[in-house]
Amino acid sequence: MSQVGELETLILLAVLRLGNAAYGVSIRDEIERRTGRRLTRGAIYTALRRLEAKGFVEGSLGDPTPERGGRAKRWLAVTPEGRAELAEATRTLDRMREGLPAPEGLPGPAEP
Amino acid sequence: MTPTSGGGGHRDVGSLVRGLVRALLERGLGAPEDAVGDLEEEYGRRRRGESEAGRLRDAAWYLREGVSLSVALLRERWAGGRTVPGNHSNGRGREMAGDILKELVIGLRRLARRPAGSVALMATIALAVGASTAIFALVSAAWLRPLPYPAGERLVRVHSAYGEPANHTAVSPPTWRDLIEQPEVLETVGVWSVAETVHLSGDGEAVRLIAPRASAGLFELAGLPPALGRLFRVGDEVPGADDVVVLSHGFWSRHFGADPAILGRRLLLDGRSFEVVGVADPAMALPGDADLWRPLALGMEWFAPGRRGWEFLRAVGRLAPAMTTDEATRHLTARFAVAEPDRADRLEQGLVAVPFRADLLGQAGSVVLYLLVAVGLLLAMAVVNVTAVLLARSEERSREYQTRRALGAGAGPVVRSVLAEALGLSLAGGVAGLLLATLGLRAAARLELGAVGALGEATLDVRVLAFALGVVGLATVAFAAGPALRALRTDPAGALRAGGRGHHGGRATVRLRRGLVAGQVALALVLLTGLALAGRGFVALVSTDPGFDVDGALTLTLELPGGTEDTAPAVVFYRDLEERLGALPGVSAAGLSSGLPLEGPVWSASFQLVDPDVESEGAEPGANMRAVSPGYLDAMGIRLVEGRGFDDGDRLGAGAPVVVVDQTVARRYWPGGSPVGRQVQVGALSADPATVIGVVGDVPDESLHAPGAGDLYFPLLQRPLRRATAVLRTTGDPAAVAAAARAAVREADPRVPVFDVRTLDDRLAAQLSGPRLAVALLAGFGTMALVLAGLGVYGVLAHGVASRRREIGVRIALGARPAGVTRRVVAEGLLLWALGSLIGGIGALAAARSLARLLPAAAPPEPSAFVAAALLLGLAAAAGALLPARRAARLDPAETLRRDG
């Protein structure tokens, strides 16, 4: 059973996609660009803290810049545990979809 | 409005919001650095700061995002580190803080459960906090900001005072000397000359400067060291040795780019050379509009007794220690009466000392204080209103409290939860109120309050924010007190029984809430009565017939080059100009005058009555002197009462000296008879006596609510002055002829500078906008008071009906008629009103008496104001009672009994 919800899955995927350019602002933008959903700041913050607490992402502080009011950035990366969890989450979804007729406009289950 | 003032206002809102949100996140909630950094970065990227609306939208965005993050942080906090392992804290304080935060969130949620009601409560608080904060900011700017001069609170202005109520004018050189000779009253005395301008000629065009002549004592009194060089000394006051000037800091920066090499340079002022010896401190504002000061060098002849009528000096003094302004007034007047018994007797002339700050603020000073009192009452009403509603809500929750207590909860958590709800309300209302206050101040800055100086500089500084915080704190305590007491008094065992029947509160609470509403009605009555009296005073002020036609006229001021004794060219110029201006399309009449009504007397002089030949013993009749062209009276719409006005024949070299007097002068010096055809000798005008040819209506000198000193008009064409203001009566929009009027002056003489091109209405706006603004504010406050009183009555009755549904249902079931039910509820509302009016009536009587002292412009107390206020409140109370009454009458007994039985 997966330990992450949909929101956290989205964020893990966004961090993966962004490679070494993932931090609060870029993650929010990336998710909006790909899904059209603008997550609230609070939701992103809470989800990231939770993912960090579970050890699925890890952060490192960057340099403070003037446009950030002299406050540091926190660069984020997915840990191996995070990747494993993501794979598990995807599998969970697939298992649930197995055998269902593909609703119109939705793809079928992932090919094995 | 200037672009900077508008922009400043918005920067204020934006940075205020950002600062508050950032402080809440970082200090209050301990937000991590990166989260705030993300917020800042996105803010920087999305900003469209340029337009006004854009800046407001940015601020709103920041607020929304900040709140979203705060909620997340709060949740994390209060989950107690469940999601973040290793973040446990065992500190008791921390736990308490967590509990309070938790309660705050629960409180906010509870508020959110009744969005309409909660928003109404918050709006009430926001309006009250906003209005009181904005008014306090005005009071703070006007009264609390220290004067820049040492011992500034002991500074007084000294005026000549004529008659009762006193009409204030400047003082004469002999009076100045009297002031200096009374060090036991005034330890230092400084004077400057009224309204003097010079033309600075140099490389380019001539520049017109405000250049009062100042005594050395004036700088000593100000006590501000020079920014550069030196200030005046007594040696500069010798005629002939007075060719030195001190520049104001502003003029030095503006005109000379703050060049330190200015010292020793010579300036050509009206053709005479002056050496720059110093630059004054930026704070030196005696008078505030001076570009430079010249020494006041008066020959001995100026101090002869006959010069008492030459009142052209503004005097400021520092009171000797332990001397009060009233004592000073007495001493100075007594001394004046000894020196000039005749003037004291016949003209009722004396001297009056007025605290400098009050003099500077004038009427506006007392108006802002009055508004503070009024807004304080309004604030009290709003707090009472919200308290009453919260009390009602807490009754509904009484069972919850009882259960909690019965299950063993201490009083602490219950009180905390009450406090949290109150805090949530007052904080949310307070923040919104601060925004409202900022907007209000920005709107006030747009109005022409410039004449009131300090008021235009009102901002939300630390003192004002502290005030707002104090208001919010007190409100919180008030909101929480009732419900908390109630929760504490709850008897855990017995209460469950009583609570079983629904949620009507105990008798005591019901009585308390009725008392609160009655108190609110009382407050409203005090406030409304005061508003009615003040409002009537201001309306009278605004609608006073000023004696001339304010609307539909353009004015412009011009000044001829100085330094010449020959006046013939000026006569030619003024004649030519009047003709050109009058012939412009869209202009029905045009005239010129040395000064306009309400701009203050430019010059007052004494004269002798030649016919009848009254034996004058020392004291001479005096009046404000106004030089006017033939078309002036017509262009201004000043009424001709008798005789004729000036015509083209009354000019230098063409006709005999003539004058026109106003009704005040006519009444004073020719009581019972007509002055037309009589002769006066005006020493300042000509050696020959002048004939009075007409009498015109009075116009005010300085203020709409003080009688003028009396005007004596003489033909500008017989004695042309250098400076004149043209008035163009227009058939259409006065502003539309501005360009043509400027061009006409240029065609008449290209060397003559034109300034102050404004409509007459604009020019007098500073005089009129104060009272107009006051009327608008009073009307706004009055409406709020009525609405609050109505809401208060509504709240208590609606709740009463809701909690007595069963009883009312039974009554209806037993045959009570709907009309009777309605009557009972309305009667209860009117009872509250009557009770409140009774208490309020006593308060209003006391308030009306102190109002007269606080606000001289207010109308005298009269019963009609009380009655009108009480009736209006009765209407509001009836309106508030009607809705619950109808609801009660429509109750379906079967349904009520089913539900509650």
Side-chain angles (χ1 to χ4, degrees), chain B residues 766-812:
Chain B
Q767 277 281 343
L768 296 173
S769 70
R772 277 179 194 163
L773 175 67
V775 168
L777 278 175
L778 296 183
F781 288 1
T783 312
M784 273 173 77
L786 283 174
V787 169
L788 283 176
L791 278 178
V793 170
Y794 165 79
V796 82
L797 293 185
H799 191 262
V801 167
S803 59
R804 291 205 318 259
R805 293 164 68 93
R806 199 180 139 85
E807 178 202 325
I808 297 169
V810 170
R811 275 172 197 276
I812 294 178

Side-chain angles (χ1 to χ4, degrees), chain B residues 119-139:
Chain B
V119 165
L121 290 183
M122 276 179 212
T124 306
I125 300 167
L127 274 177
V129 169
S132 56
T133 304
I135 300 289
F136 180 78
L138 291 180
V139 169

